[in-house]
Amino acid sequence: MDFRTTPQDDAFREDARAWLTSHIARQPPDWERELGQGGWIGIGWPDATYGNRTATLTQQVVWAEEYARAEAPTRTGHIGENLLAPTLIAHGTPEQKNRFLPPIARGEELWCQGYSEPGAGSDLAGIRTAARRDGDGAYRITGQKIWTSLAHEADWCFVLARTEEGSRRHHGLSFLLVPMDQPGRIEVRPIRQMTGTSEFNEVFFDGAEARAEHLVGGEGNGWQVAMSLLALERGVSTLAQQVGFARELERVIALAAAGGSVADPALREQLVRQWAELKVMRWNALRTLGGSGDAGAPSVAKLLWGGWHRRLGELAMAVRGAAGTVGPADWSEPSPYELDPLQHLFLFTRADTIYGGSDEIQRTIIAERVLGLPREVRVP
């Protein structure tokens, strides 16, 4: 892609920058609703029917970059906006679009993603969560999901479940929209990570209800719907992610310069390599932006940024040296340990090559779907 901005794009950038500056300074209590009132949620959707403004692909990149540069609040509505909404636009009924897209655009309903399970993470086709029709036609869901981001805050969850008893692998799966407010039927247990935070959760379904009209794409077609959703996890959002990566790298370089470790030729070479690889990632993201039909592009992107970010965390600790092992505050019982930003970066990025599809799974996808190598033999 030849990424060039027009005068209209430049004006859009100025508007976005001005809006972000003024509204971040106000520190609104509900940032998602603030974005929704400004029309900034769903700018990549095909039209403005649902209260959002529309933007060209270039302007979507501009907004993502300005959002990252402004260090705006972390989004809690991005799963609904960037994953579920495009999936509903592609596969949903008119009634489903009219019910769910406006609240997402207004920042009023938050979503989480019910895909991974114990024993079926990167190998998603192995899921066992079951959904069976009851006498009223609704689905009753039983099973467990894990690593469910923001489930403790979400109003709804899109769940991939097995609706055909006895089916295996990618057959017999369905894509269901499930309300999270079902006491006694849905339990959310936060997973405390080694960073001390709990963004991920376990979710247990015990007869949770999903209405028949909230089945997306037809019964048994869940695998196709789920795969089209996973293909959305690249593109514009990747470019915004890279702006954040660049800011983290700048902090590590500044620390190396201030502490004198940049004088180490081996460390200096690593810093230069990180900078160069980040540039390559940007151009690769621009090359694939807006494209379709490239089965390997999402996997290549995940391999690139996952490994890069993990190495950045390791490099941050190398720059810190022995001081990187000491926390910013003394131990206390309410807060057994605290981390400074670079320590948090190091620990959190240990998972970058695992979540969202491990490196091993991404390489298998590239080998089988792009290079045409023989598939791995599966033992029944």
Side-chain angles (χ1 to χ4, degrees):
M1 174 181 180
D2 185 12
F3 187 76
R4 298 179 182 177
T5 58
T6 65
Q8 291 79 12
D9 297 333
D10 295 335
F12 183 89
R13 185 183 296 276
E14 291 301 319
D15 289 344
R17 185 175 296 173
W19 190 94
L20 286 165
T21 300
S22 63
H23 287 72
I24 291 173
R26 286 169 46 193
Q27 297 184 339
D30 191 326
W31 180 246
E32 289 298 320
R33 289 177 184 255
E34 193 81 3
L35 288 171
Q37 291 171 6
W40 293 106
I41 297 178
I43 64 174
W45 301 352
D47 56 55
T49 303
Y50 307 104
N52 54 309
R53 67 180 80 195
T54 58
T56 66
L57 188 59
T58 306
Q59 289 167 351
Q60 294 169 45
V61 174
V62 166
W63 166 254
E65 290 179 339
E66 290 303 318
Y67 194 93
R69 289 194 179 103
E71 297 188 332
T74 301
R75 293 290 309 279
T76 56
H78 64 92
I79 294 175
E81 176 189 6
N82 298 320
L83 297 183
L84 178 67
T87 302
L88 286 181
I89 290 170
H91 300 281
T93 64
E95 293 77 15
Q96 290 169 347
K97 297 174 189 178
N98 290 332
R99 164 59 186 87
F100 293 109
L101 295 183
I104 293 174
R106 294 193 298 266
E108 294 175 354
E109 289 184 347
L110 303 179
W111 287 79
C112 61
Q113 177 178 352
Y115 275 20
S116 295
E117 300 179 7
S122 296
D123 184 17
L124 190 59
I127 68 169
R128 292 178 293 178
T129 293
R132 300 288 181 262
R133 288 284 189 108
D134 63 15
D136 297 327
Y139 290 90
R140 295 291 177 178
I141 303 171
T142 302
Q144 178 188 356
K145 298 295 181 178
I146 198 167
W147 309 121
T148 309
S149 301
L150 304 177
H152 57 297
E153 299 181 3
D155 303 294
W156 288 80
C157 181
F158 49 91
V159 176
L160 192 61
R162 199 165 290 283
T163 50
E164 181 184 332
E165 192 170 0
S167 62
R168 298 186 66 252
R169 304 302 297 166
H170 56 274
H171 301 287
L173 300 172
S174 296
F175 190 99
L176 297 163
L177 310 180
V178 183
M180 293 293 287
D181 187 13
Q182 299 191 48
R185 295 177 177 174
I186 297 180
E187 180 185 359
V188 178
R189 299 180 189 172
I191 299 173
R192 186 176 176 87
Q193 298 142 224
M194 61 182 174
T195 57
T197 56
S198 302
E199 295 91 348
F200 302 116
N201 305 268
E202 293 178 283
V203 182
F204 295 86
F205 299 94
D206 186 7
E209 182 180 271
R211 292 163 59 177
E213 60 266 34
H214 294 164
L215 168 69
V216 179
E219 187 169 297
N221 296 323
W223 184 256
Q224 290 79 8
V225 177
M227 291 302 99
S228 69
L229 183 147
L230 289 176
L232 298 167
E233 295 183 325
R234 66 182 179 98
V236 172
S237 59
T238 301
L239 290 165
Q241 177 191 56
Q242 291 168 10
V243 174
F245 287 175
R247 298 184 75 92
E248 291 174 340
L249 178 58
E250 288 169 3
R251 295 188 185 105
V252 174
I253 293 173
L255 182 64
S261 57
V262 73
D264 182 336
L267 195 59
R268 187 167 61 248
E269 180 184 354
Q270 288 180 277
L271 291 168
V272 172
R273 182 179 295 274
Q274 288 292 117
W275 176 87
E277 289 177 353
L278 185 58
K279 293 293 184 183
V280 171
M281 281 197 293
R282 174 175 172 79
W283 289 114
N284 181 66
L286 289 172
R287 179 184 62 85
T288 61
L289 191 62
S292 61
D294 186 348
S299 295
V300 170
K302 176 59 169 60
L303 282 171
L304 287 174
W305 74 253
W308 186 93
H309 204 214
R310 179 168 175 164
R311 291 191 298 276
L312 180 65
E314 296 167 349
L315 184 55
M317 290 299 97
V319 166
R320 293 284 300 279
T325 63
V326 181
D330 291 336
W331 184 94
S332 66
E333 190 167 345
S335 180
Y337 65 93
E338 292 185 21
L339 303 172
D340 63 35
L342 292 183
Q343 290 171 330
H344 185 278
L345 172 70
F346 169 71
L347 291 177
F348 193 87
T349 56
R350 308 310 295 167
D352 280 344
T353 55
I354 302 173
Y355 71 79
S358 68
D359 278 11
E360 291 78 9
I361 291 293
Q362 305 304 337
R363 291 189 177 99
T364 297
I365 291 172
I366 294 170
E368 294 179 352
R369 301 183 189 176
V370 180
L371 301 179
L373 298 179
R375 290 181 175 271
E376 180 181 358
V377 176
R378 295 187 180 277
V379 179

